[in-house]
Amino acid sequence: MKVVTVVGARPQFVKAAPLSKALRERHKEVLVHTGQHYDRTLSEVFFDELELPVPDHNLSVGSASHGVQTARMLEGLERLLLDERPDCVIVYGDTNSTLAGALAAAKLGIPVAHVEAGPRYHDLRMPEEVNRVVADHLAAVLFCPTASCLENLRREGLGGRAHLTGDLMLDALRMAEAVAARRTGVLERLGVEPDGYLLLTLHRPANVDDPATVRRILEALRRCGEPVVFPVHPRT
């Protein structure tokens, strides 16, 4: 098969690393980077350290409102899919890149495979919830990381397309163990002990757009008494 994989954000690069490696053993993969995340520490570093192939195409959409960013992706992906004519399009998770990839492929009659399908927060005020629900309903094949995700899809009448496959993040973690082993001295530089700290990532609009919400989250972490390592996302 010829597969077009659409990625654009940090968690998608991590998930794509093990799947891309497996795909390329039997199929032709065309890797498309939408450019949703473009800061080196949110993009290039993952391609380098997880040995992801260099993207065949980069749409370079950059930052913008949800509507503008998604529209730019749709325009670029439609043109690209018409040129590549793949048998399938793979999308990951719940970002604007996920939505644009699923929508562009579905409108061209190309089957969509959604990896990490089925999570639900039941809150359509979250852009990510809108993205994942729409992508799930457009997809021809749904790959679920957990049994609860599979049950969510069954309740929505999508069980016939859904498969419980487990979480690619575990595969990515196993792949990255060798990378981590080479990064000696990191904990010493940060002044923390193994198994003696928390790692925080904080970037979703619902968590960081209101300073009062950010303050409550950080105050709760301060009260837990553990050292917190906080690599701050540019959006935060």
Side-chain angles (χ1 to χ4, degrees), residues 37 61 91 94 103 113 120 125 141 147 170 224 228 230:
H37 280 178
V61 298
V91 296
D94 57 15
L103 194 55
R120 294 290 184 270
R125 293 172 299 176
V141 188
L170 178 57
C224 80
V228 179
F230 183 15

Side-chain angles (χ1 to χ4, degrees), residues 152-185:
N152 289 337
L153 295 174
R154 285 173 176 163
R155 283 197 294 266
E156 294 176 20
L158 302 176
R161 310 181 213 166
H163 306 271
L164 179 60
T165 56
D167 193 347
L168 272 173
M169 292 301 269
L170 178 57
D171 300 281
L173 176 63
R174 288 170 173 160
M175 282 183 62
E177 284 176 340
V179 177
R182 296 195 297 268
R183 295 291 185 267
T184 58

Side-chain angles (χ1 to χ4, degrees), residues 203-227:
H203 61 274
R204 294 202 176 216
N207 290 329
V208 302
D209 282 2
D210 181 356
T213 301
V214 177
R215 191 175 298 112
R216 285 196 299 272
I217 292 170
L218 297 181
E219 177 61 24
L221 285 164
R222 188 187 68 79
R223 289 198 304 270
C224 80
E226 296 280 355

Side-chain angles (χ1 to χ4, degrees), residues 34-38 58-65 68-69 72-73:
T34 65
Q36 181 174 340
H37 280 178
Y38 49 85
N58 193 323
L59 303 182
S60 302
V61 298
S63 299
S65 68
V68 170
Q69 189 180 66
R72 288 173 179 166
M73 293 176 190

Side-chain angles (χ1 to χ4, degrees), residues 6 74 77 81 89-92 95-114 131-132 134-139:
V6 178
L74 272 171
L77 287 169
L81 293 175
V89 171
I90 296 176
V91 296
Y92 292 84
T95 72
N96 288 342
S97 297
T98 312
L99 175 63
L103 194 55
K107 282 181 171 286
L108 292 173
I110 302 169
V112 176
H114 187 193
N131 292 343
R132 70 170 70 96
V134 173
D136 280 342
H137 282 261
L138 290 175

